[in-house]
Amino acid sequence: MSAGLRSGQVAEAAGVNIQTLRYYERRGLLAEPERSNGGHRLYDEDAVTALRVIKAAQRLGFTLEEVAELLEAGSHRHGRPVAGLQDRAAAKLVEVDAKIADLTIIRTALAAAVAAGCDDLTLCASSACCPIPFTDLAEENRHAGPCC
Amino acid sequence: MSAGLRSGQVAEAAGVNIQTLRYYERRGLLAEPERSNGGHRLYDEDAVTALRVIKAAQRLGFTLEEVAELLEAGSHRHGRPVAGLQDRAAAKLVEVDAKIADLTIIRTALAAAVAAGCDDLTLCASSACCPIPFTDLAEENRHAGPCC
DNA sequence: GGTAAACCTGTACCTCGGTACCGGTTGCAA
DNA sequence: TTGCAACCGGTACCGAGGTACAGGTTTACC
């Protein structure tokens, strides 16, 4: 039997590129695996799980840097309290909510543009009866005032 | 009276960097303005509007490339029918809806993680009674099955 | 033992939307 | 006229998350 998974197998199993494995290793997200005599990486099953965790965290909106910190925080929590998953998740929740709110406004504007039959940006911008709230969108002061 | 707006004034008025003006000009998003005898750009008021339009379109989720095409499509629509704002907005609406759906799932997972008091990613991944649906998030087959 | 696929390191490159720096010119006001 | 801010073109760089390629070694199988 083989003494571990080859990098190609791990990449395949986790659905990532082989280069990405090495990239994560460089970034400190993935532990350095054992090596064969010839220097080939030999992973254990946990590596696949680790990759899934990373990908899940990414999908939760964390950057790779944040993921690295989270893994750090989880593994050796000896010393000062690094803000853990708990706190970061709460903070991220706020971010995600904001993003959803943003997208919802955008959705509304898009839907309105479709409904109104807008077909020319510059025309719309000057026609003043166009449902795209240009200025509201351009500036950061979003309060969804009526346009026309 | 001055014969037009200087680039600094336009940048200020539209809330963008001067370099960004030139960048947009290079990308074909902003028309090349008049020049002073010495070669300084002299914009008219429309330039500010144009910038606002670009920024609005960006906030609607269009890339600069798409914005450029939209402006092209709007201005000289002589010849084959380039898909206009109408169609693209509809397509973009679908994208935005998908993004919102994604974020909503993420939101739910984050909220669950906070509620359950998760504080360690790797622990959670192996504990199997953690509310973060790692596999569902990692893979693209999202159907929000229950975790524990 | 031969050979092809997989793997290795290192480095360069990609996209996207800008931003920064450089050395030189112009505009404008005192 | 002098001084300084604003502007010019050109080029390089940022950051995030990878991806690609070159040139060489190792593994696995027949």
Side-chain angles (χ1 to χ4, degrees):
Chain A
M1 65 181 286
S2 89
L5 296 162
R6 312 282 302 272
S7 53
Q9 295 176 292
V10 173
E12 170 88 355
V16 301
N17 194 305
I18 295 188
Q19 324 276 34
T20 304
L21 285 186
R22 300 216 291 265
Y23 177 64
Y24 285 176
E25 195 178 313
R26 269 211 307 288
R27 299 268 317 234
L29 287 156
L30 207 51
E32 292 185 18
E34 299 298 303
R35 296 289 186 133
S36 73
N37 289 340
H40 284 199
R41 287 173 181 79
L42 294 175
Y43 295 91
D44 49 22
E45 289 290 341
D46 296 353
V48 180
T49 307
L51 279 170
R52 275 201 233 285
V53 169
I54 293 169
K55 285 297 172 192
Q58 267 190 305
R59 277 203 54 77
L60 287 176
F62 294 99
T63 66
L64 287 186
E65 176 120 28
E66 289 170 325
V67 177
E69 285 172 16
L70 281 176
L71 295 174
E72 272 295 291
S75 59
H76 65 99
R77 59 169 87 245
H78 50 56
R80 68 266 179 262
V82 185
L85 180 54
Q86 192 53 213
D87 295 343
R88 287 167 190 270
K92 201 51 83 173
L93 186 54
V94 173
E95 276 180 42
V96 169
D97 276 341
K99 240 180 238 169
I100 291 176
D102 254 42
L103 281 174
T104 304
I105 290 175
I106 286 165
R107 206 213 101 89
T108 308
L110 274 173
V114 170
C118 295
D119 210 21
D120 186 330
L121 269 184
T122 35
L123 228 70
C124 280
S126 53
S127 84
C129 74
C130 156
I132 305 179
F134 286 103
T135 41
D136 281 14
L137 283 167
E139 317 296 320
E140 284 303 273
N141 49 347
R142 289 188 289 284
H143 40 72
C147 165
C148 53
Chain B
M1 63 179 286
S2 91
L5 297 161
R6 312 280 302 269
S7 52
Q9 295 176 292
V10 173
E12 169 89 354
V16 301
N17 195 304
I18 295 187
Q19 325 275 37
T20 304
L21 285 186
R22 298 216 292 261
Y23 177 63
Y24 286 175
E25 195 178 315
R26 270 210 308 286
R27 299 268 317 234
L29 287 155
L30 207 51
E32 292 186 18
E34 299 298 304
R35 298 287 186 134
S36 72
N37 289 340
H40 285 199
R41 288 173 180 78
L42 293 174
Y43 295 91
D44 50 21
E45 290 289 341
D46 296 353
V48 180
T49 308
L51 279 170
R52 275 200 233 285
V53 169
I54 293 169
K55 285 296 171 191
Q58 268 190 303
R59 277 204 53 78
L60 288 176
F62 294 99
T63 66
L64 287 185
E65 176 120 27
E66 288 170 325
V67 177
E69 286 171 15
L70 282 176
L71 294 174
E72 273 293 292
S75 60
H76 64 100
R77 58 170 87 244
H78 50 55
R80 70 264 180 263
V82 186
L85 179 54
Q86 191 54 212
D87 296 342
R88 287 167 189 271
K92 201 52 82 173
L93 185 55
V94 173
E95 276 179 43
V96 169
D97 275 342
K99 240 180 238 169
I100 291 176
D102 254 42
L103 281 174
T104 304
I105 291 175
I106 286 164
R107 206 213 100 89
T108 308
L110 274 174
V114 170
C118 296
D119 211 20
D120 186 331
L121 268 185
T122 36
L123 228 71
C124 281
S126 53
S127 83
C129 75
C130 157
I132 305 179
F134 286 103
T135 42
D136 281 14
L137 283 167
E139 318 295 320
E140 282 305 272
N141 50 347
R142 289 188 290 283
H143 39 72
C147 164
C148 53

